[in-house]
Structures are given as structure tokens and as C-alpha cells.
Amino acid sequence: NAWSHVEELLHRNFGILPLPPQRAPKRKKAEEKKEVTENEDILSPNWVLPSVGVSSMDNEHEECEEALALLLRHPDVEALTKVMELLTEHFQHEESLMKASGFGRPGEKFSPYANHVKDHERILDIGCVELAKHQQPNSSVPEMKCSEASA
């Protein structure tokens, strides 16, 4: 299947092994965190998702992280659908908070905000393309709206 192929490529080309079937680590409280060093690796089993300083976003990031970990353990349409629903809702919420606070200079064509929104679109497009492969007439797989770039 496609997931095994991706895992094989990651292992062969970068030495990255699939995640073991375990729960993602919980985020540390701010007072327990250490400064990030150059030696820390996002793929390390000890790596902890850092706080963005907004508790609602931290909670959503943790939910997304757990859904993605489930998808890695059980790569099926149901898990991918859950990830896509969570990411879509989270990205909309995050973008609205960023825009409302003026974070990343929203409204400018070339801005950190615009770049971040494009990252969200690219991530959702990957999932959209994968879900579309399983979409058939009378299917229980929900239809996702892809951007024009991936359609």
C-alpha cells in the first residue's frame, strides 16, 4: 500500500523508521521545558511539541498530533478522514486567530501569514488526493473539497 511505500522510502533514503504503535508524548508545561538546542530532532521519541502560547491552539495541535499518530499506526480511510476533518477545522481556527491578531501580516501577498495558509492548503491537498482515490459512487467516504492545484 502507499503508506508502506512511503515508510520504505523514508527508511531507505533517510534512515527514518516508522513510529512504534504508542501514544504521542504529552506537551510539557512551560516551566518544565528546556531551551531547544541544535541537537534536538523532531523525529526523536523524546521530542515534545512546543507550546505556541495559546492554550486552545496547543490543545488542537495535540489533537492533530494524536490523529496523525493514529493514521501512522492504522493507515486506512477512516483514520485519514478523521485527520482531514480535524486539520480542516484546526487550520480554519488557526488562520482566523492569526488574522484577527495581525500575526504574520495578513493581507499582504508575500507574508508569513500567506505562506502559512499555503502550507495548510498543501497539507490538505495531500490528504484530499489520497481520499479521492477511495471515493466511489455511493461510497461512505466523505467528499473533500480540494484546491484547484490538486484537483
Side-chain angles (χ1 to χ4, degrees), residues 53-142:
V54 178
S55 62
S56 64
M57 284 292 102
D58 286 344
N59 292 338
E60 287 180 27
H61 287 155
E62 191 169 303
E63 288 174 7
C64 293
E65 183 181 26
E66 289 172 3
L68 288 165
L70 175 66
L71 178 61
L72 287 173
R73 287 191 308 274
H74 304 286
D76 58 27
V77 173
E78 184 179 336
L80 180 57
T81 300
K82 179 177 179 174
V83 165
M84 291 295 292
E85 289 169 349
L86 267 171
L87 289 179
T88 299
E89 185 177 317
H90 166 66
F91 290 164
Q92 290 171 349
H93 184 216
E94 184 175 83
E95 290 167 18
S96 71
L97 288 178
M98 290 173 76
K99 200 173 209 175
S101 69
F103 183 84
R105 299 188 317 270
E108 293 181 24
K109 187 173 182 177
F110 298 105
S111 69
Y113 170 82
N115 188 48
H116 199 73
V117 170
K118 287 289 183 194
D119 287 343
H120 288 168
E121 290 172 2
R122 283 188 287 269
I123 291 166
L124 292 175
D125 283 347
I126 292 167
C128 187
V129 166
E130 288 303 312
L131 278 178
K133 291 176 184 177
H134 302 281
Q135 189 68 45
Q136 301 193 13
N138 303 320
S139 172
S140 63
V141 177

